[in-house]
Amino acid sequence: MAVRRWSILSAAVFALALAVVVAQAALGAPTPPRWIVFSAHPNGATGPIQLMRVRTNGGGVQQITKGNKPATEPAFSPDGTRILFARLGSGIFRMNLDGTGLRRLTSGARDIYPVWSPDGRRIAFLRPFRAAWRLYVMSTAGAGQRRLPQAPPAGRPTWIPNGKSILIPSAADLIQVDSHTGRIQRYFGLTLDLQTTQTATVSPDARTIAYLGPRLSTGPEDCGEGPCPQYALYTARVAAPHRARRIVNDTGAAGWSPDGKTLAYVHQGALTLRTVGTGATRTIASKPHLAAGDSPPAWQPR
């Protein structure tokens, strides 16, 4: 009889445990912290900037590049395991998330803004051509580097989720071009600041743009350590570009979370996360000295 009661009790406990697991699955398990890669001065405010990484919960700050030339413009692969970046004066490089497996992809001293295509097969980047930054593509191994001949002078590229088009800031507007030819497909009617056009970033769903614009006079400059960028961060819906919203003064370029709900940027010498909908902010890294420039922090997609 005791054995039967124990069996019934065990079955009840198992059923309860199963119900808890099912309920947790229905509610959605908590998202584990991802990595954000950003530019910083490892030795204070001196020396070339390098790439650092930090968890989105603020843990595990680590330096992942070294060298006597600045490392900047990080971008994640679609699977979140590798990083592209530009080393000023040397070209574009690829490495693993922890900094291992370093491989040089281009030798253009001024090649910048490398970004992976959604399917992970191509890389778009910028290279000077006839006194202007022009859009190029290549394989993920660095082969087949070619300019998209019909694309106008460009700022930082963003791939459309289907991979068939690329968005580029150009001529103070956001423009959609064919990812194989560069043929212009659409003008969005934005009015971007010409001096900061290259810093614009587009959300993963390609519906919202974050960009730097004129700093409104709302009080004294508040930049923490180092010189002020003299700009403010704005967001605007791509479908309604004239309804821009100022996010914060005295900051650098911003990177988007994978769900497009949060921005990461450097403000007052600290890496800050801001929920776009509510405006809630939190600091996840303040040391080493962060560089609030035209290199948006890169958020691990998965």
Side-chain angles (χ1 to χ4, degrees):
M1 193 70 176
V3 173
R4 182 179 179 185
R5 288 176 180 174
W6 176 253
S7 299
I8 294 173
L9 179 61
S10 298
V13 170
F14 176 79
L16 178 61
L18 181 62
V20 170
V21 171
V22 172
Q24 288 178 337
L27 293 173
T31 301
R34 294 183 171 96
W35 290 103
I36 292 178
V37 176
F38 58 96
S39 300
H41 292 282
N43 301 314
T46 62
I49 61 174
Q50 299 296 334
L51 296 184
M52 314 289 293
R53 69 176 186 174
V54 63
R55 293 284 191 182
T56 51
N57 62 3
V61 179
Q62 300 172 354
Q63 181 179 343
I64 56 175
T65 63
K66 297 179 180 179
N68 57 9
K69 294 182 179 180
T72 185
E73 314 302 344
F76 271 97
S77 61
D79 64 4
T81 63
R82 293 177 293 174
I83 298 169
L84 293 172
F85 69 97
R87 188 173 291 285
L88 302 185
S90 296
I92 291 172
F93 291 76
R94 187 186 75 197
M95 65 181 177
N96 298 326
L97 176 56
D98 62 359
T100 62
L102 184 65
R103 179 174 179 178
R104 187 175 184 175
L105 302 182
T106 76
S107 57
R110 299 176 66 193
D111 292 350
I112 57 171
Y113 296 118
V115 287
W116 245 291
S117 64
D119 62 7
R121 296 180 179 179
R122 290 186 290 167
I123 293 170
F125 65 100
L126 300 187
R127 171 178 287 172
F129 178 79
R130 294 182 180 176
W133 295 105
R134 306 303 289 262
L135 185 61
Y136 283 71
V137 295
M138 62 180 173
S139 76
T140 56
Q145 299 173 26
R146 65 182 184 89
R147 181 175 59 88
L148 302 191
Q150 298 181 48
R156 185 181 187 276
T158 299
W159 291 84
I160 289 288
N162 63 16
K164 296 180 179 180
S165 302
I166 298 174
L167 301 178
I168 55 172
S170 181
D173 195 1
L174 184 66
I175 299 175
Q176 181 176 320
V177 301
D178 184 276
S179 64
H180 292 280
T181 65
R183 179 180 60 85
I184 296 176
Q185 298 173 321
R186 180 182 178 186
Y187 292 91
F188 287 89
L190 284 166
T191 303
L192 303 177
D193 185 89
L194 285 172
Q195 294 183 346
T196 60
T197 295
Q198 286 190 328
T199 66
T201 58
V202 182
S203 62
D205 62 5
R207 295 181 178 180
T208 310
I209 185 171
Y211 62 95
L212 298 182
R215 181 192 189 278
L216 298 182
S217 180
T218 59
E221 296 173 347
D222 189 6
C223 306
E225 300 180 23
C228 264
Q230 300 293 326
Y231 298 112
L233 177 65
Y234 294 82
T235 61
R237 300 291 288 178
V238 170
H242 300 296
R243 298 177 182 177
R245 175 187 177 191
R246 183 174 61 86
I247 301 298
V248 63
N249 278 340
D250 308 323
T251 187
W256 292 90
S257 63
D259 61 7
K261 296 180 179 180
T262 307
L263 288 169
Y265 54 85
V266 175
H267 180 58
Q268 298 180 2
L271 183 61
T272 301
L273 303 186
R274 184 184 186 100
T275 304
V276 177
T278 65
T281 62
R282 61 188 177 94
T283 296
I284 62 170
S286 57
K287 293 181 180 180
H289 184 81
L290 306 189
D294 60 357
S295 177
W299 204 305
Q300 187 180 23
R302 62 177 74 176

